[in-house]
Amino acid sequence: MSYSYQIRTEADYRTAYQQSVEDPEKFWAAVAENFSWKKKWDKVLSWNFEEPKVEWFAGAKLNITENCIDRHLSALGDKPALIWEPNDPNERVRVVTYNRLHKRVCQFAQVLLNNGVKKGDRVCIYMGMVPELTYAVLGCARIGAIHSVVFGGFSAQSIADRLEDAKATFIVTCDGAFRGNKDIPLKSVIDDALIGNKVVKKVIVYTRTRTPVSMLKGRDVWWEDEMEHAESQVEVNGVVQQEAAVMDAEDPLFILYTSGSTGKPKGVVHTTAGYMVWTNYTFVNAFQYQPSDIHFCTADIGWITGHSYILYGPLSAGATCVMFEGIPTWPDAGRFWEIVEKHRVNILYTAPTAIRSLMGFGTTPLEGKDLSSLKVLGTVGEPINEEAWHWYNKNVGKEKCPIVDTWWQTETGGCMISNMAGVTPGIPSWASLPMPGIQPILVDEAGKEITEKDQHGHYKGNLCIKAPWPGILRTTYGDHERCRQNYFSTYPGLYFTGDGALKDQQGNFRITGRVDDVLNVSGHRLGTAEVENAINMHAGVVESAVVGYPHDIKGQGVYAYVIMDQLHEDAQLTRKNILQTVTRQIGPIAKPDKIQFVKGLPKTRSGKIMRRILRKIAEGETKNLGDTTTLLDPAIVEEIAAGRIVD
Ligand code: WT7
């Protein structure tokens, strides 16, 4: 495999960037030559951001799994595609070669067909981080079914909402999942999610934890039985064959739900060809991937990072990925370093929140661990603070590994703004330069480009993107208007990211965080409205308002102001019940870190909650709260400030 488009020097980057902006169609057509197509495209790009409508490589035919697997087989069949590291370090490591991945994906594709899954059907995947999750995802892609992976930490209610929104007809799950010393009963959560559901036809259950499960006759089937049956169908005389579905470039590949500023998560839709080209291109270039590298992305496949940089990006490049079932702190805080040493990891890609949590254990867990294989480090998910950056650089990278700070979103499919390892300079806490094809612009509230520098010589504004790149979302499932409203209507003609940013005079970007009502808790997105809805479900709650506040490890913590019902005056009990309700409605990740019971909320005369004030109080600012004269009841502010929950 060659990566003729690989950028190796800063000059290459400048040239590629310029070409990508001057003639995007020519640029991406050249990149796309590196893939395997059943039919080439008629038109590289057509778009308008008004509808919005974006089409990349229209008219082309392909199957993404052939690009991720089949085309590597002759040269790399025996190369590991996945090195699976179990939760329990004493359990056997599983190495999945490209040949084996091919066989399993074909087999599972056949299982789906045998169970009546058709092209375009939505398949919800709710599994732990086991190799079978990969077979399930790629098996869907192979037959053209649309996968929608739901992170194993989401509650039954969240799954039910997503199933309904996606009109999913099939589910793939596990009996349970191991995470640290926990055993999460996934199948039983699915059973709860399916109460009253009449749309789901089949549930395929893989055995991982041997937790007892109940199987519903006619609906639930065992993975193992199905796979055994399919084996003889796809393997004839030792040759594995399973015709991959011929997909259009713009056929949907997957739906992935993510939180926005409304109460309801939205199903971000990515399509086939553009997403493939984008994840591959950004993987190879941002990390400066070389064909023998072992890549370890610590994300869960339930998030976009796992989709793009454990599966589609690396596999389409013929890379070897470490897939880790467990958590960084179990059995102890040296687990990542043990994995790096054991598998001779070259590229380590993780989240600032993981780094900060490991920092808390000091450097003892790193002692005696051989990290000399590491060449490149990466971070994603939230701004990285300088302290964490320096700790990572010094103790993990031993000051020899470039750190790529990759800014992107579920909606962007892959890295948008990032330095390229060792090629363009990394600056602590700056995502730095746009990838080729990305034209960022900072605007003010009115949508006017920022042209004045602040006192530090920085431009500061809301981050938008001027033109489409191959990995841009195409729609939000079942509700295109919502996609338009959310991303393309705030600033007509621009894609609005929801983030604020600074730009220096060299064109480097520093992401400062969300400017909408979205929180970033441990690198995970949560809508304040979503958490409020969950809190309000509790009978003892009259009203609530949720804001984020700086949290040492999570980046942002969840601060909830709650008006309690007169009848529920036991604050301790109500607090406990609220936490339980939120866990049930969304999942443990959304649990408020602080709950303050208040008599009222600061509202304008039109009834709008002044979050700015609540945010300031949560941040610890109790004095300079700005103008409160427009409030219905200015006195409430002082009362809330006085009752602020301190750590
Ligand atoms: C939001 C997207 C991209 C995969 C993981 C999160 C924040 C992401 C960075 C970074 C500063 C970052 C932004 C963005 N974010 N990466 N390197 N520096 N902020 O995906 O759940 O869709 O969240 O995460 O605020 O909008 P997501």
Side-chain angles (χ1 to χ4, degrees), residues 547-550 559-561 575 594-598 613-623 625 636-647:
V547 297
Y549 71 97
Y559 195 119
Y561 299 90
R575 183 171 285 118
K594 295 181 179 183
I595 298 175
Q596 180 181 350
F597 292 108
V598 295
I613 295 174
L614 294 175
R615 237 178 267 129
K616 279 202 165 170
I617 296 176
E619 282 163 10
E621 174 71 74
T622 49
K623 299 241 156 49
L625 296 170
I636 197 72
V637 174
E638 267 169 57
E639 202 179 312
I640 296 175
R644 188 179 90 88
I645 311 246
V646 201
D647 286 305

Side-chain angles (χ1 to χ4, degrees), residues 67-372:
N67 281 276
C68 287
I69 308 173
D70 305 49
R71 66 168 170 154
H72 305 315
L73 294 179
S74 59
L76 308 174
D78 292 326
K79 178 178 173 169
L82 299 175
I83 299 175
W84 178 76
E85 173 72 21
N87 180 58
D88 179 347
N90 297 315
E91 197 183 329
R92 184 176 58 92
V93 166
R94 290 170 62 189
V95 176
V96 182
T97 62
Y98 274 94
N99 277 330
R100 179 50 60 108
L101 182 64
H102 178 242
K103 176 168 170 180
R104 293 292 182 241
V105 169
C106 288
Q107 242 176 300
F108 193 71
Q110 189 61 47
V111 166
L112 291 170
L113 294 174
N114 292 346
N115 280 280
V117 183
K118 299 201 169 53
K119 187 168 170 173
D121 285 348
R122 277 80 49 218
V123 178
C124 168
I125 302 178
Y126 186 67
M127 299 172 86
M129 285 282 283
V130 285
E132 285 70 18
L133 165 57
T134 301
Y135 312 155
V137 169
L138 298 176
C140 287
R142 191 144 186 109
I143 66 163
I146 302 170
H147 57 77
S148 176
V149 184
V150 176
F151 173 63
F154 279 113
S155 68
Q157 184 60 53
S158 299
I159 300 165
D161 295 345
R162 286 160 174 73
L163 288 172
E164 189 188 307
D165 188 86
K167 300 184 188 66
T169 40
F170 295 87
I171 297 180
V172 190
T173 190
C174 298
D175 51 354
F178 293 124
R179 272 175 74 79
N181 57 11
K182 289 205 195 82
D183 170 348
I184 301 149
L186 299 180
K187 172 60 166 63
S188 131
V189 178
I190 289 291
D191 290 338
D192 288 346
L194 286 180
I195 295 171
N197 180 307
K198 296 207 168 55
V199 181
V200 170
K201 296 179 196 154
K202 282 277 166 71
V203 180
I204 302 172
V205 187
Y206 173 71
T207 310
R208 171 63 185 130
T209 58
R210 304 200 171 272
T211 304
V213 299
S214 61
M215 300 287 279
L216 208 76
K217 204 184 288 168
R219 187 195 70 184
D220 302 350
V221 294
W222 291 107
W223 170 288
E224 293 76 7
D225 296 344
E226 297 294 310
M227 285 291 267
E228 197 185 310
H229 178 61
E231 186 165 16
S232 58
Q233 295 174 278
V234 299
E235 190 173 38
V236 180
N237 300 328
V239 182
V240 176
Q241 254 183 359
Q242 203 282 330
E243 292 250 336
V246 180
M247 304 302 288
D248 286 339
E250 284 296 341
D251 274 338
L253 175 63
F254 66 85
I255 305 172
L256 190 57
Y257 283 86
T258 189
S259 297
S261 36
T262 65
K264 196 172 151 247
K266 46 189 182 256
V268 168
V269 176
H270 284 289
T271 58
T272 307
Y275 176 80
M276 170 182 79
V277 169
W278 184 240
T279 53
N280 176 281
Y281 182 82
T282 52
F283 170 70
V284 166
N285 284 306
F287 300 104
Q288 289 292 298
Y289 169 75
Q290 297 305 321
S292 59
D293 286 346
I294 309 281
H295 172 74
F296 178 21
C297 166
T298 72
D300 192 288
I301 290 176
W303 310 108
I304 190 70
T305 309
H307 281 60
S308 301
Y309 298 113
I310 299 180
L311 298 183
Y312 292 110
L315 294 178
S316 65
T320 299
C321 278
V322 174
M323 177 178 185
F324 176 39
E325 185 184 34
I327 57 170
T329 49
W330 196 84
D332 59 53
R335 192 66 197 275
F336 274 2
W337 324 129
E338 215 172 276
I339 295 174
V340 168
E341 176 177 272
K342 185 163 155 192
H343 302 299
R344 306 295 298 156
V345 169
N346 305 111
I347 308 170
L348 173 65
Y349 189 33
T350 194
T353 186
I355 299 168
R356 287 191 302 266
S357 106
L358 293 173
M359 264 168 78
F361 293 87
T363 51
T364 320
L366 281 145
E367 274 165 25
K369 303 280 179 355
D370 178 4
L371 305 184
S372 61

Side-chain angles (χ1 to χ4, degrees), residues 502-522:
L502 303 175
K503 183 170 103 169
D504 71 10
Q505 292 170 60
Q506 286 72 47
N508 291 300
F509 287 86
R510 176 183 190 149
I511 312 302
T512 49
R514 303 288 306 198
V515 294
D516 51 7
D517 290 324
V518 170
L519 307 180
N520 190 327
V521 178
S522 301

Side-chain angles (χ1 to χ4, degrees), residues 258 303-305 379-384 405-411 431 497-499 511 513-514 520 523-525:
T258 189
W303 310 108
I304 190 70
T305 309
T379 71
V380 61
E382 47 177 322
I384 180 161
D405 179 347
T406 62
W407 172 82
W408 56 294
Q409 312 177 295
T410 304
E411 295 85 345
T497 65
D499 280 315
I511 312 302
R514 303 288 306 198
N520 190 327
H524 302 315
R525 253 158 87 170

